[in-house]
Amino acid sequence: MSVLLIGKAVNKNQKVRIEKDKVKDIFVLSLTEKVYRYNLYRPLRKSLIRHLIMLLTLITLIFMMDLKIEDGTLFISISSVYESFNLSEIFNFNL
C-alpha cells in the first residue's frame, strides 16, 4: 500500500518541509490509487457535464420547434420561450 502526502513543499534552512497549502487549502495523506482515479476521472466528469448541458439545450430547442410539411417543403419555426411556457393557456387564468 503506497500513500501520497499532498500539500505544499517548502525549503527552510536547507530542509524540505510539507505544509498546508493556503491557496488550495489542502494537506492530506491519501492512497495512490485514489489520487490516480481522481486524476483520471475528474476531466471526464467535467466533460460529461458540459456535453449533457449541450445535449439538453439541443433537445429543448427541438421541442420548441414547430415543423410543418406543405407540398413537400419543410417549414421550421421556433416559438419564443414565452409562447412555449405560456402558463395562462395551461392553467386557464389571465395574468
Side-chain angles (χ1 to χ4, degrees):
M1 175 171 74
S2 59
V3 294
L4 288 174
L5 181 60
I6 302 172
K8 178 181 175 184
V10 178
N11 188 1
K12 287 188 180 179
N13 298 330
Q14 302 300 329
K15 293 183 180 179
V16 177
R17 296 175 55 197
I18 306 293
E19 297 178 347
K20 182 176 183 178
D21 189 6
K22 294 178 182 176
V23 175
K24 295 185 179 179
D25 194 30
I26 189 167
F27 184 70
V28 69
L29 189 66
S30 179
L31 294 173
T32 318
E33 294 85 24
K34 286 190 177 186
V35 174
Y36 172 75
R37 260 188 267 127
Y38 177 80
N39 288 337
L40 178 67
Y41 291 121
R42 185 166 188 260
L44 295 174
R45 202 175 9 188
K46 289 174 81 174
S47 176
L48 176 70
I49 291 170
R50 184 174 44 244
H51 283 85
L52 283 177
I53 289 172
M54 292 301 293
L55 182 66
L56 289 175
T57 304
L58 182 64
I59 290 171
T60 302
L61 284 174
I62 289 171
F63 280 134
M64 289 174 63
M65 287 182 183
D66 293 327
L67 302 175
K68 293 179 185 175
I69 300 176
E70 295 178 4
D71 299 328
T73 306
L74 177 65
F75 292 99
I76 299 173
S77 63
I78 299 175
S79 59
S80 70
V81 175
Y82 179 74
E83 291 173 1
S84 297
F85 301 105
N86 192 354
L87 296 178
S88 62
E89 285 183 10
I90 297 171
F91 297 113
N92 287 331
F93 67 88
N94 292 327
L95 296 175

